[in-house]
Amino acid sequence: MNVAGPLRSRPLPLSADGQDTGTSVRSSSSNDVDMYFDVPSFELSLDEFEEYALARLKVLRKIEEMKTRNLPPDTFRSQLDASIKANLTSTQQKHKTKLDVASHFILRAAYCRTEDLRRWFLAQECRLFRHRLESLSSRSSSSSTNNNGLREFLANNDFDLDPVSREEKERLSDKLQKVPGGPMSPGEFINAQYYRVPFVQALELVSRRECYVEKGQAYVPLARIVSIVAAKFRAALSKSLALAAGVFGQVAHDEASRIGPLLKSMNSQYTGPGAPNTVMGLDGESAVTAATVDVLADQSMPLCMQQLHQGLKRDHKLKHQGRLQFGLFLKGAGMSLEEHTLFFQREFTRIMTSEQFNKQYSYSIRHMHGKEGKRASYTPYNCTKIIFGNPPQSGVEHHGCPYKHYDDQNLNALLAKLKIGSVADRDVIMSYKKEGNFGLACAKHFEVSHPSAANVDGVNLDGVGNHPNAWFSASVSYHDAKNGGGAPSSSVEPAKQEQEGAMAM
């Protein structure tokens, strides 16, 4: 896959066997599902390269967000279908296939760099693949084609399955029909195609008792081949990610002027609702200003940003990582460069002069907003970047994720101090923290702080627990709906007076 012409001097081994085949996408009527064995050979502009990658990233992050929320299977499937339709679908089949395949391989290259990135990408891609394969199997089963779509997919991707003969199926009919969830009526059983596979390839089905095992062979109906195919997809993708990781550094160096920076920053790109996720007031202006930020911090910021805000108010300064995490969050929420500078200046000049602030800190704020340096538009940190970033130094730094970086005693005391939910609610949050499910802990915090938010019109819960700006936006929308609209106005006048006092220093 070339970007605006032949750029690569050394290809990434993105296929499972380590070979950059350079072949075109396979043609198939089941082309909604792809094993991604072959690296595509079509060309992309730099704009398309980024556009395609971000489109798929939205879908993968949607999958992660829905798993975090523990949605019912039917809701999960319907929302994932909607996300795929919105981001990975085109009216032209050729472009749809190009978008899907190109976006997969771009993200495969971007997420091969570290073990954490590889693990995340593998988990979300496997869920997406399984969803598509189950949809294909379901569509085929409900039609008169008798699983022709699934059969065609298996044939096109070289799955060598051993079909069970009619005689053997009749011999085992009693045992096969006793398998839970299998063909129920005699007519369904007669028409069902069974395959014989080594039971080690069907461990998931064996563990759920959804296949019959005899002499080391598992007898699996065609509709349940999905589990075996998904396991093969996971193994192939895991291998290809490991191979690509070995040469990523050299390729990124060779492409330092073009796709290298895009690949390195892809996992930190913001894909939430709106970019940035600006919170607007009734007057059409940004609701996040130096005058309103203190009220919004108490009302609508997630715990990580509340801690940064409180640290800033207490110490009247933030260390470098804290300024980046909090500053980019405020920028993403819609705070302008002028308001951002004003807010930080108001706090910092309590312990230093305006000249010191301008000399030491104003440049970095302008840099965040793309007004200095290479003038790039930096995006807010998502939860993954915050969780796996540099941990804060206790008592000195305030950045990071409290659910990840605070010990159990300190976090429990903080939750009680902030009166987050009931004791039982806090126990649930702490159990998620202890299990390492930091996103679930954050989502539970939102749930208990915003009762029945899912039923409030205009509240978008996508990304809550996965991105601080999504959490903030959903909270503001919730309170606007409850209060009849408009940004919070309480305590704004004192903030204005404080602001004027700071400017006079």
Side-chain angles (χ1 to χ4, degrees):
M1 178 170 55
N2 294 330
V3 182
L7 291 174
R8 292 181 304 168
S9 58
R10 182 178 182 184
L12 274 171
L14 293 173
S15 59
D17 58 3
Q19 300 298 315
D20 185 357
T21 58
T23 57
S24 299
V25 183
R26 294 180 181 180
S27 174
S28 168
S29 64
S30 57
N31 46 24
D32 280 348
V33 190
D34 200 313
M35 292 290 290
Y36 306 108
F37 286 145
D38 298 332
V39 180
S41 60
F42 40 70
E43 294 185 354
L44 297 176
S45 68
L46 283 174
D47 287 342
E48 288 176 323
F49 188 89
E50 185 173 19
E51 176 189 341
Y52 288 9
L54 292 179
R56 192 179 197 89
L57 196 53
K58 290 179 182 179
V59 175
L60 299 188
R61 287 178 176 172
K62 178 66 175 178
I63 293 173
E64 180 189 39
E65 177 256 320
M66 291 190 296
K67 294 299 291 184
T68 298
R69 291 166 56 193
N70 289 324
L71 295 180
D74 289 343
T75 305
F76 181 95
R77 285 191 291 269
S78 63
Q79 292 194 15
L80 181 50
D81 282 334
S83 182
I84 293 171
K85 183 177 180 180
N87 297 291
L88 293 178
T89 301
S90 173
T91 54
Q92 296 182 346
Q93 184 61 51
K94 184 177 180 180
H95 180 262
K96 176 182 176 182
T97 303
K98 179 180 179 181
L99 168 60
D100 178 65
V101 175
S103 63
H104 170 86
F105 280 99
I106 294 169
L107 291 188
R108 187 188 289 196
Y111 277 77
C112 73
R113 294 178 293 130
T114 68
E115 179 63 31
D116 289 331
L117 293 179
R118 290 194 294 273
R119 187 185 304 115
W120 183 89
F121 179 73
L122 181 64
Q124 313 318 322
E125 279 288 338
C126 287
R127 287 167 181 156
L128 175 60
F129 177 82
R130 190 181 189 104
H131 168 79
R132 285 173 157 175
L133 197 59
E134 288 175 345
S135 297
L136 176 64
S137 176
S138 176
R139 290 197 304 269
S140 299
S141 297
S142 62
S143 68
S144 59
T145 58
N146 194 23
N147 277 310
N148 281 345
L150 185 55
R151 290 174 190 270
E152 183 180 355
F153 169 80
L154 296 173
N156 288 343
N157 289 279
D158 303 323
F159 280 91
D160 186 16
L161 301 175
D162 183 16
V164 175
S165 66
R166 178 174 299 180
E167 293 76 14
E168 186 173 12
K169 191 171 81 167
E170 290 177 355
R171 178 178 66 83
L172 299 172
S173 61
D174 290 341
K175 296 175 180 177
L176 294 178
Q177 291 186 79
K178 290 180 181 178
V179 174
M184 300 302 294
S185 68
E188 290 178 337
F189 178 75
I190 292 174
N191 293 325
Q193 174 65 62
Y194 278 80
Y195 292 90
R196 182 171 47 241
V197 298
F199 85 95
V200 293
Q201 295 183 20
L203 292 179
E204 182 178 343
L205 296 176
V206 173
S207 67
R208 298 200 303 254
R209 300 186 177 183
E210 292 183 350
C211 65
Y212 172 68
V213 179
E214 181 179 284
K215 298 180 180 179
Q217 299 291 312
Y219 290 78
V220 184
L222 179 60
R224 288 183 174 167
I225 290 293
V226 168
S227 177
I228 297 171
V229 176
K232 183 174 180 179
F233 175 80
R234 170 180 282 274
L237 180 55
S238 179
K239 180 180 178 181
S240 69
L241 286 168
L243 290 169
V247 296
F248 178 86
Q250 181 61 45
V251 174
H253 178 269
D254 294 343
E255 299 297 342
S257 63
R258 291 192 176 182
I259 65 172
L262 286 175
L263 293 176
K264 288 182 178 179
S265 64
M266 192 61 66
N267 65 294
S268 62
Q269 292 292 319
Y270 180 57
T271 57
N277 200 16
T278 305
V279 176
M280 307 301 291
L282 286 178
D283 57 0
E285 300 295 328
S286 173
V288 187
T289 67
T292 62
V293 67
D294 291 345
V295 179
L296 288 169
D298 292 336
Q299 172 193 278
S300 293
M301 286 187 188
L303 194 58
C304 57
M305 298 305 164
Q306 280 189 348
Q307 292 305 103
L308 280 163
H309 179 263
Q310 290 177 11
L312 175 60
K313 301 293 287 186
R314 183 178 63 249
D315 300 340
H316 308 300
K317 64 178 180 179
L318 288 173
K319 295 289 189 179
H320 176 69
Q321 290 296 332
R323 295 197 305 274
L324 280 178
Q325 182 176 324
F326 194 39
L328 289 174
F329 166 81
L330 294 174
K331 173 178 178 280
M335 180 175 274
S336 67
L337 170 60
E338 293 74 17
E339 293 291 332
H340 188 168
T341 304
L342 190 60
F343 172 54
F344 271 50
Q345 184 182 41
R346 188 178 71 201
E347 294 301 328
F348 279 59
T349 52
R350 293 177 183 273
I351 59 171
M352 66 181 67
T353 65
S354 295
E355 289 75 15
Q356 288 175 311
F357 173 82
N358 290 330
K359 183 177 180 180
Q360 298 178 33
Y361 300 105
S362 61
Y363 177 90
S364 63
I365 297 175
R366 295 196 303 272
H367 193 275
M368 286 185 209
H369 287 261
K371 302 301 182 182
E372 299 287 355
K374 62 180 181 180
R375 300 183 182 275
S377 180
Y378 296 96
T379 55
Y381 289 178
N382 59 31
C383 291
T384 301
K385 186 174 182 64
I386 293 171
I387 289 170
F388 293 107
N390 294 326
Q393 185 178 348
S394 179
V396 178
E397 297 178 304
H398 305 288
H399 67 276
C401 170
Y403 304 108
K404 163 71 173 179
H405 296 123
Y406 286 17
D407 61 35
D408 292 355
Q409 182 178 355
N410 286 337
L411 179 60
N412 203 12
L414 176 62
L415 296 176
K417 179 182 177 182
L418 297 177
K419 299 179 180 179
I420 296 175
S422 63
V423 174
D425 292 328
R426 294 195 289 272
D427 287 343
V428 173
I429 292 175
M430 291 302 302
S431 68
Y432 284 140
K433 182 255 195 296
K434 293 174 183 177
E435 295 167 0
N437 294 320
F438 310 119
L440 286 176
C442 190
K444 181 65 176 178
H445 174 194
F446 185 94
E447 177 187 325
V448 300
S449 303
H450 304 80
S452 304
N455 300 321
V456 177
D457 290 341
V459 177
N460 186 349
L461 297 178
D462 289 355
V464 172
N466 291 315
H467 203 295
N469 287 82
W471 205 106
F472 178 71
S473 178
S475 177
V476 172
S477 298
Y478 174 87
H479 288 290
D480 282 355
K482 290 292 186 180
N483 298 331
S489 58
S490 60
S491 302
V492 170
E493 287 304 320
K496 285 184 178 179
Q497 295 171 3
E498 208 173 312
Q499 168 184 322
E500 292 168 357
M503 290 298 292
M505 290 184 64

